[in-house]
Amino acid sequence: MNFTDLIQRFAAQAPGTDSFLKVKEGSLALVSSDSEHAAAYFLIYGFARSYVLLYEDQGIAPAFAETAKTQLLSYMNRLDEAFRSGTAQDLVAALNWIVLDYGRSGKIF
């Protein structure tokens, strides 16, 4: 599985801890298989892991779960665009944007 496949599968799934668990597992597998982008995958892994740890045993409102999914998907799509550009500058810019955006967000995961 590649990162684009992981994004498409996550986008097609219902929001909730099960879908975040699959992102967590998939992104961790990508850390090993695509070392060129390991830091980016690890960032996504951390977000997905946090969501699972925080909410796996809680009843989550559908709107909250959808908001979290939308936020993580935006980060994943931003990275995927940077990967396709093939430049280190675009990847660093995407990583910086994600970290800054997360810092300004409600930090739901």
Side-chain angles (χ1 to χ4, degrees):
M1 173 180 7
N2 64 37
F3 194 59
T4 302
D5 293 337
L6 184 62
I7 293 168
Q8 290 171 348
R9 289 178 186 176
F10 183 51
Q13 295 172 345
T17 53
D18 288 344
S19 61
F20 278 81
L21 181 61
K22 290 176 183 170
V23 169
K24 179 187 135 206
E25 293 167 351
S27 57
L28 189 58
L30 287 168
V31 167
S32 300
S33 66
D34 180 9
S35 61
E36 182 180 355
H37 301 120
Y41 299 137
F42 193 75
L43 182 64
I44 298 302
Y45 162 82
F47 289 146
R49 180 181 179 273
S50 292
Y51 186 91
V52 171
L53 290 173
L54 289 169
Y55 306 115
E56 69 182 332
D57 294 332
Q58 297 183 26
I60 300 298
F64 179 86
E66 187 62 44
T67 297
K69 180 181 175 182
T70 299
Q71 185 175 357
L72 187 58
L73 271 173
S74 74
Y75 296 164
M76 294 170 79
N77 283 319
R78 184 78 179 237
L79 288 172
D80 201 37
E81 289 172 16
F83 295 162
R84 283 193 304 262
S85 83
T87 69
Q89 182 178 4
D90 286 345
L91 181 54
V92 170
L95 289 167
N96 285 335
W97 180 86
I98 290 166
V99 170
L100 293 172
D101 184 76
Y102 179 76
R104 290 186 295 262
S105 75
K107 299 179 185 174
I108 57 179
F109 43 75

